[in-house]
Amino acid sequence: MTDPTTDSAGNTEDAAAARASLETLRTEIAKAVVGQDPAVTGLVVALLCRGHVLLEGVPGVAKTLLVRALASALELDTKRVQFTPDLMPSDVTGSLVYDTRTAEFSFQPGPVFTNLLLADEINRTPPKTQSSLLEAMEERQVTVDGTPRPLPEPFLVAATQNPVEYEGTYPLPEAQLDRFLLKLTIPLPSREDEIDVLTRHASGFDPRDLHAAGLRPVAGPADLEAARAAVARTTVSTEITAYVVDICRATRQSPSLTLGVSPRGATALLAAARAWAWLTGRDYVTPDDVKALALPALRHRVQLRPEAEMEGVTADSVINSVLVQVPVPR
């Protein structure tokens, strides 16, 4: 019979080793991507929560490079799909192909069968193709010709979209936006970071060759599994649960919004705060953890009234005002 004390000590050691490995990710990814620590942290939080991420930023801020660098540092398989108006659902999920040698149909897996799928400019493809990802994101499987096929584990969709160019785009419906755990905004770099980027390129840095940049795997799927188990053991008090619920309910009463945060959004915020608490070295969640993840976990789950948008109100400003108004548990 296994000694529970030994099991507990082993779990603690595994969790500590996993945390140390994940903490080195920022340093490793910084060899390829400059000044995007919050986005790196958000992607790691999503992996720990088995969630998905929507990356929003103007072209040229290293969204694609960030995802590729993360996959390389975690030793995960990654594939990229450029979403275009003529992309078909089968181009993402895979299809049945007739084999003339056997006179039978065989399944040809699509790019979704990977650990980290980069859905580049997801809002450039029609809703029919966008929705092909819904089953994969929610059920972690793909059904083709009535046969469900499980996806690899871990599995994360990192979808990108451009916030300034709307011609020829198809905005993601609320049902699909709600499937993303976090929406991360990728800002333009500071002057110092931009100088660093140009200096690296002048020194011969090639974003297509991460190995030459010195980027090496520092963690792997086993570390993610140990980390997920540790996150599941992180304590959440009833006061914190009530605080998350109060924040989400307050968004539903905001005069600036036509749509507030759903219960799924409350669940996402709590899960993300729990993962963040563990990453920062604690086995319990605090109100500050909830506040730290409120914007990325909720900004894509609310819908502004047209008159509020015309007045310059943003989803982030509404959520920030809610955080100020909702009493913080002591």
Side-chain angles (χ1 to χ4, degrees):
M1 192 177 196
T2 308
D3 184 354
T5 307
T6 307
D7 270 2
S8 177
N11 289 336
T12 303
E13 290 174 7
D14 290 346
R19 184 189 288 119
S21 297
L22 293 176
E23 283 174 352
T24 60
L25 273 179
R26 293 179 187 174
T27 305
E28 198 64 24
I29 292 175
K31 294 177 181 178
V33 182
V34 179
Q36 296 294 358
D37 281 356
V40 173
T41 302
L43 285 164
V44 173
V45 165
L47 280 167
L48 294 180
C49 298
R50 294 167 61 90
H52 308 284
V53 174
L54 183 62
L55 299 170
E56 187 173 88
V58 298
V61 290
K63 299 186 293 294
T64 302
L65 180 60
L66 173 63
V67 175
R68 288 179 52 239
L70 177 71
S72 181
L74 283 173
E75 211 167 10
L76 298 176
D77 182 48
T78 183
K79 290 186 174 69
R80 175 179 176 271
V81 179
Q82 182 67 50
F83 278 68
T84 55
D86 60 348
L87 195 74
M88 299 296 290
S90 59
D91 295 331
V92 178
T93 60
S95 58
L96 294 175
V97 177
Y98 185 72
D99 190 338
T100 55
R101 292 174 299 176
T102 61
E104 292 180 348
F105 285 94
S106 61
F107 178 66
Q108 184 67 36
V112 75
F113 285 86
T114 186
N115 296 126
L116 213 166
L117 176 68
L118 176 60
D120 219 349
E121 293 191 287
I122 190 172
N123 58 336
R124 289 213 169 274
T125 200
K128 182 178 180 180
T129 305
Q130 290 177 7
S131 64
S132 66
L133 280 176
L134 283 178
E135 182 187 13
M137 293 169 68
E138 188 67 21
E139 309 295 336
R140 298 179 181 273
Q141 67 177 26
V142 167
T143 303
V144 177
D145 197 35
T147 303
R149 293 174 169 84
L151 294 171
E153 186 61 41
F155 174 68
L156 178 142
V157 173
T160 71
Q161 64 178 17
N162 180 349
V164 295
E165 190 179 355
Y166 292 105
E167 286 186 18
T169 63
Y170 304 83
L172 273 64
E174 282 70 29
Q176 186 165 1
L177 283 171
D178 211 29
R179 295 303 197 283
F180 287 98
L181 178 80
L182 304 175
K183 179 182 177 182
L184 305 174
T185 55
I186 311 296
L188 288 165
S190 65
R191 182 175 182 272
E192 291 73 20
D193 286 342
E194 198 163 358
I195 290 173
D196 191 359
V197 170
L198 267 63
T199 302
R200 292 187 184 196
H201 279 264
S203 301
F205 171 71
D206 183 359
R208 289 170 291 276
D209 189 355
L210 296 179
H211 186 77
L215 204 147
R216 301 288 184 271
V218 294
D223 295 304
L224 284 176
E225 279 303 312
R228 286 173 176 176
V231 170
R233 296 191 296 271
T234 303
T235 304
V236 181
S237 67
T238 53
E239 291 81 7
I240 292 295
T241 305
Y243 182 50
V244 170
V245 169
D246 289 343
I247 289 171
C248 295
R249 290 180 67 86
T251 64
R252 300 169 204 164
Q253 298 162 6
S254 171
S256 300
L257 301 177
T258 58
L259 180 70
V261 178
S262 69
R264 180 190 282 137
T267 303
L269 175 55
L270 184 61
R274 207 176 186 186
W276 171 246
W278 179 82
L279 276 173
T280 52
R282 281 177 283 102
D283 61 356
Y284 59 91
V285 182
T286 69
D288 285 342
D289 298 324
V290 176
K291 289 180 179 179
L293 272 297
L295 286 179
L298 304 182
R299 58 164 60 108
H300 56 297
R301 303 176 194 274
V302 299
Q303 194 170 62
L304 290 166
R305 293 186 182 278
E307 55 270 29
E309 270 191 288
M310 291 175 65
E311 292 171 3
V313 176
T314 64
D316 284 14
S317 65
V318 172
I319 293 168
N320 279 326
S321 67
V322 164
L323 292 175
V324 171
Q325 294 164 11
V326 175
V328 180
R330 300 295 177 189

